[in-house]
């Protein structure tokens, strides 16, 4: 049973004999581990990761390939350290690939280093390879009626035991070199000694726990563990004196860690053209060949399959050197050692171990998953948008070769449907669009709220000012009328040459100006009922322009018009709107000081008619923009500051608004928006007036009539 333990930093997956760790903080869910895993024993989700140890073949590819170094395994190094500290009788058996650790110094310096940390004896594991090579030689020479697959590589054996169980009878009934040297050491040293195997292969850690070979090896540590042990003790092996290996000495078995090494170590010679002995390496080639062998598409007498590119390419070898470089180190060491040995003594020593049991059986560890139906597969593909019109992309970002393979894995419970990069990107896009829409809605709501608040404040302010203005106007009107009456009486009673006439005329002029201001105050304060009628905005603008075009102020102003054809008729107070347009046009002309261009245009959208009045004047300073429609604000010497405030109120009462855009040195644009709407009771009247409107194009403007 697999035990899963979660901490704040790591997730542990433990089956009792083997433990893999996942550093949560480092894992980026890149799916590279799934891509490289031949057993698909890893499940990634948006917020989770799970490793199925029952499906794992313990190749170690995921650990070494992880770009974030998020995956690891629980080493037995601490347990071995404890053995060494207690001065236990311990034998270190080193895998034949050890010369590939190029920075350890010579082989015999490594022996010295291992003994300095506490190992009593150091053996070459290659002697185990020597023994099993002889077993394979016998199998090949004696012949067999079935195809044999080497049992040399534990990762390959695990794959067959779990996923191609029909090939279990084809596995050569021989232990691995590690188990062979372990049984030899146990036979020589006895049960009181602890046997530790040092390997570049992760699968060896799991192999020693197999019930068929239990007891041969006590603990397994890796080349990486040994280097870390040396570093922790401050040991530099390449500076130490040399010490000879203990135990029996191998010969050709030293080359078993390179591709083809098993065949070479047998000493057998077969005609390659007979295609009786063959093999391959690399997990994709090996698994592909195994599947073809199971289907009967390929045949041979003997297949030598190696999961890596030989043990010199094991997951815990030194990767600073290429596989070729590591291979050459092993071959040089083997040649050098064999040149010093007496072959006859080697053969005699091998014969002395004929009693060692090197046989092995292989258990069925099948981990097949149920095959989903086509309907289930289609449902999953539909869920992740991989059915037409989107189709399968087969991008492999999820770790599976095809979208169909991914869908099958989802149905089998070893993958998550949502963990699909194109799908997640599309979902992220949709979420982004939704968030953007929500943001815009919130922004609009915020703007509307600000406008409502500003409108409320303005309304309250205008109401207060209106009440004050009405009171002030009323109080001023009476004395102002008296002043004007007596001024006229005085003027009437004076002689034509009286020097005081000029003073009296000044009094009358200023009194009239005061009267206009009072009238403006009253107009601002009193919201007279709108006299609404059906009208055409373009016609109204033409009327306003006809009133001002002949004034001296407009003689040097170029007026450009751009009015929409077939302008819709709106319900409005013609007089009031004329006042608005006239006020803004006159302000524009005054701002340009009688020189420049005035552009008047109309725009129609679904709900509004917009009138744009644009000038080429000096523009409005930014600090004045917020005060434009405030009562009594003016930049004119003799202005009342009521024109724009009154205009704003008129437009607002019509359900519209006035917007202003201005740039210093380039001019200002006023945009008056008026709603296009009409009461149901006016529908018939509107149809009638539309006919009149069409006549206007020929006969000129008609009076559309008013609704009181």
């Amino acid at each position: 049973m697999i035990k899963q333990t979660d901490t704040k930093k790591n997730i542990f997956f433990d089956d009792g004999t083997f433990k893999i760790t996942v550093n949560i903080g480092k894992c980026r869910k890149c799916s590279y581990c799934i891509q490289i895993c031949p057993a698909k024993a890893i499940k990634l989700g948006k917020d989770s990761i799970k490793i199925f140890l029952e499906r794992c073949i313990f190749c170690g590819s995921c650990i070494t390939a992880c770009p974030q170094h998020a995956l690891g395994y629980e080493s037995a190094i601490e347990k071995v350290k404890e053995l060494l500290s207690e001065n236990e009788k311990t034998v270190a058996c080193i895998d034949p690939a050890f010369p590939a650790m190029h920075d350890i110094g010579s082989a015999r310096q490594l022996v010295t280093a291992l003994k300095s940390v506490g190992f009593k004896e150091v053996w070459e594991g290659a002697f185990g390879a020597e023994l099993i090579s002889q077993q394979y030689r016998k199998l090949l020479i004696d012949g067999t009626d079935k195809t044999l697959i080497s049992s040399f590589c534990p990762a390959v054996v695990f794959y067959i035991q779990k996923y191609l169980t029909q090939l279990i009878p084809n596995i050569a009934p021989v232990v691995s070199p590690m188990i062979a040297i372990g049984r030899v050491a146990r036979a020589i040293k006895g049960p009181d000694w602890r046997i530790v195997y040092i390997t570049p292969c992760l699968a060896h850690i799991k192999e020693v726990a197999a019930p068929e070979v239990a007891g041969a090896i006590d603990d397994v540590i890796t080349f990486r563990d040994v280097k870390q042990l040396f570093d922790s003790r401050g040991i530099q092996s390449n500076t130490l004196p040399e010490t000879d290996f203990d135990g029996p000495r191998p010969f050709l078995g030293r080359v078993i860690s390179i591709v083809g090494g098993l065949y070479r170590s047998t000493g057998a010679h077969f005609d390659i053209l007979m295609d009786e002995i063959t093999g391959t390496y690399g997990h994709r080639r090996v698994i592909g060949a195994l599947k073809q062998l199971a289907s009967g598409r390929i045949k041979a007498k003997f297949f030598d399959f190696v999961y890596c590119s030989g043990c010199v390419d094991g997951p815990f070898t030194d990767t600073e050197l290429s596989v070729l470089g590591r291979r050459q180190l092993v071959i040089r060491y083997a040649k050098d050692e064999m040149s010093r040995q007496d072959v006859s003594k080697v053969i005699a020593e091998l014969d002395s171990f004929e009693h060692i049991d090197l046989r092995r059986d292989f258990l069925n560890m099948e981990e097949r998953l149920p095959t989903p139906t086509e309907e289930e597969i289609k449902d999953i593909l539909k869920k992740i948008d991989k059915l037409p019109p989107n189709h399968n992309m087969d991008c492999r970002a999820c770790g599976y070769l095809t979208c169909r393979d991914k869908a099958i894995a989802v149905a089998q419970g070893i993958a998550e449907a949502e963990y699909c990069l194109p799908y997640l990107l599309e979902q992220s896009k949709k979420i982004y669009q939704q968030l953007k829409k929500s943001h815009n809605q919130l922004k609009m709501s915020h703007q509307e709220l600000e406008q409502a608040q500003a409108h409320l404040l303005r309304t309250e302010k205008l109401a207060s000012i209106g009440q004050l203005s009405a009171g002030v106007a009323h109080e001023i009107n009476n004395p102002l009328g008296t002043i004007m009456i007596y001024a006229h009486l005085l003027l009437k009673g004076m002689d034509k040459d009286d020097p005081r006439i000029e003073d009296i005329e000044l009094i009358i002029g200023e009194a009239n100006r005061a009267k206009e201001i009072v009238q403006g105050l009253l107009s601002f304060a009193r919201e007279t009922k709108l006299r609404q009628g059906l009208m055409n905005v373009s016609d109204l603008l033409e009327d306003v322009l006809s009133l001002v075009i002949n004034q001296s102020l407009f003689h040097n102003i170029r007026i450009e018009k751009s009015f929409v054809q077939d302008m819709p008729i709106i319900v409005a107070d013609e007089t009031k709107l004329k006042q608005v347009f006239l006020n803004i046009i006159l302000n524009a002309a005054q701002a340009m000081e009688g020189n420049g261009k005035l552009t008047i245009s109309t725009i129609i959208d679904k709900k509004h008619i917009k009138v744009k009045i644009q000038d080429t004047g000096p523009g409005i300073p930014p600090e004045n923009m917020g005060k434009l429609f405030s009562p009594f604000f003016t930049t004119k010497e003799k202005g009342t500051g009521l024109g724009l405030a009154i205009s704003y109120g008129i437009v607002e009462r019509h359900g519209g608004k006035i917007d202003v855009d201005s740039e210093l040195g380039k001019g200002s644009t006023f945009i008056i928006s008026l709603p296009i709407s009409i009461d149901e009771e006016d529908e018939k009247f509107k149809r009638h007036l539309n006919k009149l409107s069409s006549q206007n194009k020929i006969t000129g403007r008609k009076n559309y009539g008013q609704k009181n």
Side-chain angles (χ1 to χ4, degrees):
M1 183 176 179
I2 308 300
K3 182 180 179 182
Q4 179 176 334
T5 306
D6 296 358
T7 68
K8 290 183 178 180
K9 186 177 180 181
N10 295 307
I11 304 175
F12 299 91
F13 299 92
D14 187 0
D15 68 352
T17 61
F18 189 83
K19 184 184 288 186
I20 287 183
T21 63
V22 182
N23 188 307
I24 304 170
K26 290 183 177 180
C27 180
R28 293 293 179 267
K29 312 290 190 306
C30 68
S31 81
Y32 190 55
C33 54
I34 296 180
Q35 294 180 41
I36 205 166
C37 178
K40 295 297 180 276
I42 304 173
K43 179 180 180 180
L44 287 180
K46 291 185 290 185
D47 303 306
S48 64
I49 180 170
K50 185 173 182 178
I51 296 175
F52 303 96
L53 286 183
E54 64 272 17
R55 296 184 55 79
C56 184
I57 63 171
F58 313 98
C59 63
S61 299
C62 59
I63 296 174
T64 56
C66 178
Q68 308 299 330
H69 306 292
L71 293 168
Y73 69 99
E74 189 172 88
S75 169
I77 189 63
E78 295 302 322
K79 184 179 178 182
V80 172
K81 284 181 181 180
E82 187 176 345
L83 289 176
L84 298 176
S85 66
E86 294 174 355
N87 204 28
E88 292 281 350
K89 294 182 287 186
T90 309
V91 177
C93 299
I94 314 177
D95 190 271
F98 79 88
M101 297 193 293
H102 66 95
D103 57 349
I104 60 170
S106 70
R108 289 169 175 78
Q109 285 178 317
L110 176 60
V111 174
T112 305
L114 288 170
K115 288 189 174 184
S116 69
V117 299
F119 287 103
K120 297 296 186 282
E121 292 188 10
V122 180
W123 288 23
E124 283 193 82
F127 188 76
E130 203 75 54
L131 291 176
I132 69 158
S133 296
Q134 301 310 306
Q135 295 297 312
Y136 279 105
R137 180 181 175 87
K138 291 177 182 179
L139 287 171
L140 294 173
I141 292 175
D142 294 343
T144 178
D145 58 351
K146 61 183 177 182
T147 298
L148 288 178
I149 302 170
S150 68
S151 60
F152 166 72
C153 179
V156 173
V157 172
F158 279 131
Y159 190 88
I160 294 173
Q161 287 180 294
K162 292 186 177 185
Y163 302 106
L164 292 172
T165 55
Q166 65 268 44
L167 294 179
I168 291 177
N170 299 96
I171 303 174
V174 182
V175 298
S176 68
M178 177 185 70
I179 301 301
I181 192 65
R183 288 179 177 179
V184 170
R186 188 71 68 196
I188 295 176
K189 306 306 296 186
D192 295 337
W193 283 70
R194 305 300 297 266
I195 314 299
V196 177
Y197 195 79
I198 302 172
T199 176
C201 176
L202 196 69
H204 279 146
I205 298 174
K206 186 64 178 177
E207 183 188 7
V208 298
E212 312 97 295
V213 296
I217 299 291
D218 293 298
D219 295 295
V220 177
I221 58 176
T222 67
F223 288 176
R224 183 182 296 177
D225 294 331
V226 169
K227 287 189 175 183
Q228 290 175 353
L229 177 60
F230 289 167
D231 291 341
S232 68
R233 303 283 180 89
I235 297 173
Q236 294 182 333
S237 57
N238 56 7
T239 64
L240 299 176
E242 293 189 339
T243 305
D244 283 335
F245 281 96
D246 304 292
R249 303 302 308 280
F251 194 68
L252 278 171
R254 293 186 177 97
V255 301
I256 202 169
S257 63
I258 65 176
V259 173
L262 177 61
Y263 166 65
R264 290 181 176 88
S265 65
T266 64
H269 299 282
F270 294 90
D271 187 353
I272 193 170
L273 296 178
M274 296 299 292
D275 199 27
E276 291 182 315
I277 296 178
T278 189
T280 189
Y281 61 92
H283 77 270
R284 288 190 173 86
R285 297 189 191 95
V286 168
I287 290 172
L290 285 171
K291 289 178 178 179
Q292 290 184 350
L293 177 61
S295 65
R297 296 177 64 185
I298 59 173
K299 294 180 181 180
K301 185 175 182 178
F302 178 72
F303 286 97
D304 183 16
F305 292 135
V306 184
Y307 185 86
C308 307
S309 297
C311 295
V312 294
D313 189 36
F316 297 110
T317 53
D318 195 331
T319 56
E320 290 183 8
L321 278 180
S322 66
V323 176
L324 178 60
R326 289 173 247 162
R327 179 178 179 274
Q328 289 179 341
L329 289 174
V330 170
I331 292 173
R332 289 170 191 168
Y333 172 74
K335 285 182 177 180
D336 185 56
E337 291 296 314
M338 287 190 297
S339 67
R340 303 177 186 182
Q341 291 179 272
D342 186 334
V343 178
S344 61
K345 290 183 178 180
V346 172
I347 295 173
E349 191 167 32
L350 285 172
D351 291 341
S352 67
F353 291 100
E354 285 187 347
H355 64 284
I356 300 295
D357 186 7
L358 300 177
R359 295 172 300 173
R360 179 185 174 180
D361 295 323
F362 298 92
L363 299 177
N364 188 321
M365 303 168 65
E366 187 170 19
E367 287 296 333
R368 291 185 181 272
L369 295 168
T371 302
T373 64
E374 283 298 317
E375 193 63 31
E376 289 175 323
I377 296 171
K378 285 183 179 179
D379 287 343
I380 294 168
L381 290 172
K382 182 179 180 181
K383 184 177 181 180
I384 56 177
D385 296 329
K386 294 298 184 294
L387 289 179
N390 296 320
H391 302 288
N392 296 348
M393 297 181 63
D394 297 339
C395 66
R396 305 187 184 185
C398 63
Y400 291 86
L401 291 177
T402 67
C403 295
R404 180 179 175 84
D405 290 342
K406 168 65 180 290
I408 292 172
V410 172
Q412 293 172 334
I414 60 173
E416 285 193 13
E418 291 79 6
Y419 193 76
C420 168
L421 184 58
Y423 173 76
L424 290 174
L425 288 173
E426 187 61 31
Q427 292 301 110
S428 299
K429 184 179 177 181
K430 290 179 181 178
I431 293 171
Y432 171 75
Q433 294 296 336
Q434 290 173 355
L435 289 174
K436 186 178 180 181
K437 184 179 179 181
S438 298
H439 172 73
N440 290 335
Q441 289 174 344
L442 287 172
K443 188 177 179 181
M444 290 177 63
S445 298
H446 181 68
Q447 290 175 344
E448 290 172 357
L449 180 61
E450 285 184 334
Q451 291 173 359
Q453 289 175 335
H455 177 72
L456 180 61
L457 290 172
R458 173 179 169 78
T459 302
E460 291 175 350
K461 182 179 178 181
L462 292 181
S464 300
I465 295 174
Q467 291 175 0
L468 177 63
S469 299
V472 170
H474 178 74
E475 294 297 326
I476 291 177
N477 257 338
N478 288 333
L480 189 60
T482 302
I483 291 171
M484 291 184 69
I485 290 171
Y486 279 96
H488 279 287
L489 289 174
L490 287 172
L491 185 63
K492 188 176 179 180
M494 288 181 181
D495 296 331
K496 293 182 180 179
D497 55 352
D498 194 322
R500 295 174 296 173
I501 289 177
E502 187 176 340
D503 295 332
I504 298 300
E505 287 178 343
L506 179 62
I507 291 171
I508 293 172
E510 290 301 309
N512 280 322
R513 183 168 172 268
K515 184 179 179 182
E516 290 177 1
I517 294 173
V518 169
Q519 190 60 44
L521 284 171
L522 289 171
S523 297
F524 175 74
R526 297 172 181 169
E527 285 193 359
T528 58
K529 186 178 180 181
L530 296 177
R531 293 174 56 82
Q532 292 184 320
L534 300 172
M535 55 166 289
N536 186 298
V537 173
S538 296
D539 290 341
L540 184 60
L541 288 169
E542 292 285 3
D543 281 354
V544 172
L545 289 174
S546 68
L547 293 174
V548 301
I549 195 69
N550 295 319
Q551 294 184 22
S552 59
L553 183 63
F554 287 84
H555 287 171
N556 295 318
I557 294 176
R558 180 161 55 91
I559 300 176
E560 292 186 358
K561 300 181 294 182
S562 179
F563 298 159
V564 175
Q565 296 293 321
D566 298 324
M567 180 73 72
I569 296 171
I570 66 170
V571 180
D573 188 320
E574 182 177 332
T575 303
K576 297 290 187 186
L577 286 187
K578 186 181 291 186
Q579 182 181 351
V580 172
F581 296 144
L582 185 62
N583 185 283
I584 295 173
I585 290 172
L586 286 173
N587 282 350
Q590 291 168 359
M592 294 186 290
E593 296 180 347
N595 288 280
K597 182 174 75 172
L598 181 67
T599 305
I600 304 174
S601 58
T602 57
I603 304 169
I604 301 176
D605 59 26
K606 291 182 179 181
K607 295 183 179 181
H608 295 86
I609 290 175
K610 295 182 179 180
V611 178
K612 292 178 65 176
I613 302 173
Q614 185 176 7
D615 64 61
T616 57
I620 303 168
E623 62 270 18
N624 292 343
M625 289 291 289
K627 309 174 196 175
L628 284 180
F629 302 107
S630 299
F632 310 114
F633 173 77
T634 182
T635 57
K636 302 175 186 177
E637 291 184 3
K638 294 185 178 182
T640 64
L642 292 172
L644 286 179
I646 292 171
S647 297
Y648 189 94
I650 292 171
V651 173
E652 193 175 56
R653 289 176 64 192
H654 280 82
K657 64 176 183 175
I658 303 179
D659 295 309
V660 186
D661 185 25
S662 185
E663 187 175 353
L664 288 177
K666 293 187 177 181
S668 304
T669 302
F670 282 73
I671 303 173
I672 301 98
S673 299
L674 297 168
I676 303 173
S677 63
I678 191 168
D679 296 337
E680 291 183 5
E681 64 186 73
D682 294 317
E683 282 295 335
K684 293 181 180 179
F685 190 38
K686 181 180 176 181
R687 287 195 294 270
H688 171 69
L689 293 180
N690 279 335
K691 295 180 181 180
L692 296 177
S693 179
S694 62
Q695 295 175 7
N696 291 344
K697 299 175 184 179
I698 302 173
T699 63
R701 184 173 185 268
K702 301 283 186 181
N703 182 15
Y704 292 136
Q706 290 185 334
K707 193 175 77 170
N708 294 322

